[in-house]
Structures are given as C-alpha cells and as structure tokens.
C-alpha cells in the first residue's frame, strides 16, 4: 500500500512545530528516536515507547477513535496520523495541519522517517536513524547460521488470521535473512489468510503472538510441519508491539525473528523454489 502524505500538509513549515500530537504508535516512536519527544503534547492510547518519555504526555484516545475535542484543546501545530484515523478531514477543516503517514514496507519506513525528520528540521538525524536501522538489520542477518537458509516461515500478526506477506517490511526482513515467506508478495503486505491456505503452505516455522495459544486451533493445525515438530515461536504483547511497529525498533524486531529461527528452524533446510 503506497505511502500517503497530504499535499496541503507536507512538512514545509518555516518553523519546526513546537506542539505535536501523534495518533499512531509508530509515528510517536520515530519522533522520539529523533530525540524530539519533548515536542509531543498528545499521543494515542497505544503509544508506549519510550515509556519514561511518554509517561506524562496526555492521551487523546486511540488511532481509530481519537477525541477531536481533546486534540483541539491541546492547540497542536501539527497532528501526525495514519490513513485509517477518521478525524483527519475534520482537523484540516478546522485549520489544523496534519501529516498522514503509513508504512508497510522498508521503502515506506525510510520515507516516513525522512518526512518526520524534515518536519522537525532534523534531516541529518533522520538519515542517521535510517542508516543505523539498515546496519542493524544487516548485522542480524549476517549472524544467522547458513544451515537454516531457505526455511519456510509463517508470521501471524493479528487475529483473523492476518499474516505478514513477503512484500511487508517483516517479509523483507525475512528475505534479507535468507528465509522463505510462505505468504507470497502478490497477496499484499498483511493479508487475511484462511486456515486452508496455511495448511497448503506447510510452513516449517510458525511465529505468532502468545494470545494465539489460547485460541482453538483451526482444523488440520496438527498437520502442519511446524506444529508436528514443535517449531512455533509465540511472542508476548510487548514483543508483538516491537514486531508490528515498523520504525526505530525494527532491528530489535529482526533480532526476535532471528532468535526464533535459531531456536526452531530445522538445520540443512533446502531453499524453496517458491
């Protein structure tokens, strides 16, 4: 899905905004990674990192149900939000500047970081942050044993189930690691998949949130190679936050994936032809 920045609100301000509201955790994390947390006067209820810096920042609701009145009361110079946030048009109608950013692949993550860095007049910091992320991803990939190359992996990122496809940033990270994502790029970055699809895909390693363990398994779950051989990694809520937020903690996300693969992937896996 392409990155969208509202043309009328592109970050071309002569003066860097002093009062920013962020309605998306990833955008909050990028701003703080640029050492600009002090500009935040409001955040969504799910923004949680860095915890200490955000402890006293007012919350204005969720990204899908923010309080327009609470946002306006904070008198922001600009509001950062995603395309899914429903108050964007109303904010703009009231004269509030907005920057709309969504990132589902690594190119879009870079664009998001560069855009926010430009907004706060810190372009060099944005370039440096991206370079650190790239180096971190490469470093994790280089530490993986070659004997697990070609392992077929299924990454579940939400109930439905929704999966991370090969065209998502998680899929691109797995490709960089030499793994095979069983969800092909043509299905989109984060498609809703059926149990039948997962069975046909026959992943060798399954990655899920810990909550998935409490849900009833779908029919045929026990037939999956990953299940038969107990090659399943389940991450807790904070680890899932790291995985599903494509921003400054992506190298940590890569480390989580890598450790799972080191622990669970079968050795001498043959690269798939898919």
């Amino acid at each position: 899905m392409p990155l969208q920045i509202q043309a009328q609100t592109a970050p071309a301000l002569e003066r860097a905004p002093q009062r920013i509201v962020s309605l998306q955790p990833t955008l909050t994390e990028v701003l703080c990674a640029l050492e600009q947390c002090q500009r935040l006067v409001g955040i969504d209820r799910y923004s949680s990192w860095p915890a200490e810096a955000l402890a006293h920042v007012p919350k204005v609701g969720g990204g899908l149900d923010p309080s327009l009145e609470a946002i306006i009361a904070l008198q922001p110079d600009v509001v950062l939000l995603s395309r899914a946030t429903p108050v964007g048009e109303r904010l703009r109608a009231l004269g509030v500047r907005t920057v709309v950013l969504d990132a589902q692949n690594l190119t879009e993550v870079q664009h998001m970081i560069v855009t926010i860095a430009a907004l706060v007049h810190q372009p060099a910091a944005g370039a440096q942050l991206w370079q650190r992320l790239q180096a971190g991803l490469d470093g994790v990939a280089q530490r993986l044993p070659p004997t697990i190359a070609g392992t077929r992996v299924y990454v579940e990122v939400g109930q439905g189930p929704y999966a991370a496809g090969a065209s998502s940033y998680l899929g691109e990270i797995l490709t960089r690691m030499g793994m095979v994502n069983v969800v092909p790029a043509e299905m989109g970055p984060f498609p809703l998949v059926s149990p039948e699809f997962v069975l046909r895909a026959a992943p060798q390693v399954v990655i899920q949130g810990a909550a998935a363990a409490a849900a009833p398994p779908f029919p045929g779950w026990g037939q999956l190679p990953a299940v038969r051989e107990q090659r399943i990694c389940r991450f807790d809520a904070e680890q899932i936050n790291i995985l599903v937020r494509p921003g400054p903690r992506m190298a940590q996300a890569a480390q989580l994936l890598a450790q799972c693969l080191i622990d669970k992937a079968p050795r001498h896996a043959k690269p798939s032809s898919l």
Side-chain angles (χ1 to χ4, degrees):
M1 192 175 292
L3 179 75
Q4 290 190 353
I5 304 174
Q6 298 295 334
Q8 69 270 34
T9 58
L13 306 179
E14 291 184 5
R15 180 171 177 266
Q18 302 302 303
R19 301 178 63 80
I20 298 176
V21 170
S22 173
L23 300 180
Q24 216 277 345
T26 295
L27 305 179
T28 302
E29 294 192 11
V30 171
L31 191 67
C32 289
L34 294 169
E35 300 184 356
Q36 302 298 313
C37 249
Q38 74 278 6
R39 298 180 190 269
L40 286 166
V41 296
I43 54 176
D44 70 286
R45 71 169 66 94
Y46 300 109
S47 287
S48 57
W49 183 90
E52 184 175 343
L54 300 178
H56 303 294
V57 181
K59 291 182 169 57
V60 296
L64 297 178
D65 61 349
S67 167
L68 184 66
E69 294 76 13
I71 296 169
I72 296 299
L74 292 170
Q75 299 182 316
D77 298 320
V78 68
V79 177
L80 305 178
L81 67 162
S82 75
R83 193 178 325 138
T85 304
V87 297
E89 290 295 336
R90 295 173 68 188
L91 285 169
R92 289 187 285 277
L94 292 169
V96 179
R97 290 180 178 268
T98 65
V99 175
V100 182
L101 291 164
D102 291 283
Q104 296 190 321
N105 59 46
L106 292 177
T107 297
E108 291 173 354
V109 173
Q110 181 184 17
H111 194 169
M112 174 181 65
I113 291 171
V114 169
T115 298
I116 294 175
L119 176 72
V120 295
H121 294 197
Q122 298 292 325
Q128 291 166 5
L129 175 57
W130 178 247
Q131 289 169 0
R132 290 197 302 272
L133 283 173
Q134 288 286 85
L137 295 177
D138 286 339
V140 172
Q142 290 165 6
R143 289 194 293 272
L144 284 175
T147 53
I148 66 172
T151 297
R152 295 170 55 79
V153 184
Y154 167 71
V155 182
E156 192 172 285
V157 294
Q159 293 182 347
Y162 288 90
S167 62
S168 70
Y169 65 93
L170 289 173
E172 291 173 333
I173 290 172
L174 286 172
T175 297
R176 191 176 295 201
M177 292 178 173
M179 303 301 119
V180 174
N181 192 324
V182 299
V183 181
E186 56 266 27
M187 290 182 67
F190 296 101
L192 176 66
V193 298
S194 67
E196 293 76 15
F197 169 83
V198 180
L199 287 173
R200 290 195 304 272
Q204 295 169 295
V205 173
V206 166
I207 297 172
Q208 298 176 309
F218 59 73
W221 176 256
Q223 300 173 28
L224 291 176
V227 175
R228 291 199 310 266
E229 299 168 15
Q230 298 183 346
R231 301 186 185 279
I232 302 176
C233 296
R234 292 193 172 103
F235 294 121
D236 63 30
E238 179 52 33
Q239 292 170 324
I240 287 294
N241 281 343
I242 293 171
L243 287 172
V244 301
R245 295 177 183 177
R249 295 193 287 172
M250 284 195 307
Q252 290 175 254
Q255 289 170 357
L256 289 172
L257 294 173
Q259 191 58 56
C260 166
L261 292 165
I262 290 170
D263 293 342
K264 299 293 185 178
R267 266 41 181 181
H268 306 297
K270 295 180 179 180
S272 171
S273 59
L274 293 183

